[in-house]
Amino acid sequence: MGDAKRKKLAGRAEPSTAARYNELRQIFDRLGVDCSRPGFYDDPRFLDEERRNPLFIETYAEWVLSRERTAEYDAMVRDVVPRLAALIEARVIRHNWNGACIAISGIVTKTLDRLGIWNIPMAGSASIYVGDNSRHFTIVDDNEGVGFDTGHMWIIAPPYDVVDTTLHYQRWQGDAFQSLIPKVILADRTDIVKARVQDVVAPDIRRRHPRDQDLHYKLFRDQRRILTMFPARSFVSGQADIRYVPAGIRVPDGPLEDINSEGRAGVPAIDIWREDIMREFNLTD
């Protein structure tokens, strides 16, 4: 069944997906983990299992993707996510908070958890192609420099395949290419695509191995396995073909209060929650 046909089913799970959902529920029930609310990866029993198996966080991501959704739930997501994205973008602009995809993705995922929206914080590669030109934020890159992480981060929040409030606000350093990137990406009509070497490996490294089309699988050996669960996706925005290739789940350590708590760039996450989000969503606690 194609991705387009799946979307026509309005969130209904395919039989194989439903079977996996039931398997996951049995796993969480056996551990005594309450999986009824977003963010249950912070349950102490979940964390204990994750210490034994660092890849256990992927079961949470599978749970998010395999859950059957209702039309009412999807309508809530389509109301909440754009409003939250607008608040986050305003903060990025206000504080000149460029190149902060890790901190901001952490803020978004923890906020969505609190608002009852199931989501996955995903690390990986983001590449943008316009004609013969391209720009890359790749997971395989040896030129980022000390103190910088490779690649990019975004959120998956079904029915949105990609929620990204930071790609436009990376450190473009005056590159006119930035104007071709949407300021906020809320993509719900993406295509599943094959991850290519140019989507995953930085240009400087590829130039040293010009004929190796499997270089991404050799340099990032877990890539094939991850893509079997979380496929690469592509969509077109204006002139730009934008491709996201997952490389792994990256959940923030600690609660929302701990994210960017020192505020060396931007502001602490809890300030955004108290000053912007509580007011926007009429929250009292």
Side-chain angles (χ1 to χ4, degrees):
M1 182 184 295
D3 195 49
K5 188 173 182 180
R6 280 200 295 271
K7 291 183 181 298
K8 291 181 181 179
L9 295 179
R12 288 169 49 196
E14 294 181 72
S16 60
T17 303
R20 181 56 177 160
Y21 175 84
N22 290 329
E23 291 174 2
L24 292 168
R25 176 176 284 281
Q26 291 174 16
I27 292 171
F28 300 141
D29 286 348
R30 186 174 69 250
L31 293 172
V33 173
D34 180 2
C35 53
S36 63
R37 291 281 300 172
F40 67 79
Y41 51 79
D42 281 334
D43 185 299
R45 286 156 292 198
F46 190 102
L47 293 172
D48 286 343
E49 185 66 22
E50 192 177 4
R51 291 186 192 98
R52 290 187 286 269
N53 173 15
L55 295 179
F56 191 65
I57 188 61
E58 292 177 355
T59 63
Y60 180 84
E62 288 188 88
W63 175 263
V64 172
L65 295 179
S66 62
R67 293 179 69 260
E68 185 172 340
R69 306 189 319 272
T70 64
E72 291 76 15
Y73 174 81
D74 280 4
M76 179 182 71
V77 177
R78 293 183 186 281
D79 172 60
V80 169
V81 170
R83 291 162 64 191
L84 175 60
L87 293 178
I88 297 297
E89 185 199 11
R91 282 288 187 168
V92 171
I93 295 171
R94 175 178 169 185
H95 303 293
N96 195 28
W97 203 357
N98 297 323
C101 66
I102 295 174
I104 291 172
S105 292
I107 293 169
V108 172
T109 194
K110 288 291 189 177
T111 298
L112 289 176
D113 287 347
R114 289 192 177 190
L115 295 176
I117 304 296
W118 294 93
N119 71 96
I120 305 163
M122 185 65 73
S125 301
S127 296
I128 308 98
Y129 301 89
V130 178
D132 294 330
N133 295 314
S134 61
R135 300 292 186 274
H136 306 267
F137 300 89
T138 55
I139 202 71
V140 181
D141 188 347
D142 57 8
N143 290 319
E144 285 284 347
V146 176
F148 291 93
D149 286 271
T150 59
H152 187 55
M153 281 199 70
W154 63 96
I155 304 294
I156 301 171
Y160 292 109
D161 300 323
V162 178
V163 176
D164 190 346
T165 58
T166 63
L167 187 61
H168 180 89
Y169 297 100
Q170 287 286 7
R171 294 183 176 90
W172 290 88
Q173 298 175 323
D175 188 342
F177 208 89
Q178 180 184 20
S179 65
L180 303 175
I181 313 303
K183 293 182 177 180
V184 171
I185 293 174
L186 303 175
D188 62 352
R189 297 180 182 274
T190 65
D191 295 318
I192 293 177
V193 295
K194 180 180 179 180
R196 306 170 302 185
V197 62
Q198 61 264 40
D199 301 327
V200 178
V201 181
D204 287 349
I205 299 175
R206 283 191 283 113
R207 278 192 282 270
R208 301 198 294 264
H209 307 270
R211 292 185 176 85
D212 194 343
Q213 297 306 305
D214 288 330
L215 185 62
H216 48 317
Y217 298 130
K218 297 172 183 175
L219 296 179
F220 182 54
R221 294 188 177 278
D222 212 25
Q223 184 72 90
R224 288 187 190 274
R225 187 192 65 82
I226 291 167
L227 291 175
T228 63
M229 296 181 290
F230 313 109
R233 291 187 175 270
S234 172
F235 65 95
V236 175
S237 177
Q239 304 175 55
D241 175 13
I242 304 176
R243 290 177 172 246
Y244 287 85
V245 181
I249 317 304
R250 186 166 182 172
V251 173
D253 293 330
L256 183 68
E257 286 81 357
D258 290 350
I259 298 176
N260 204 43
S261 58
E262 295 182 358
R264 293 175 181 171
V267 292
I270 196 61
D271 290 357
I272 299 175
W273 173 264
R274 291 169 176 160
E275 297 171 13
D276 301 345
I277 295 165
M278 291 184 67
R279 179 174 63 250
E280 173 68 22
F281 294 100
N282 297 313
L283 304 175
T284 57
D285 191 350

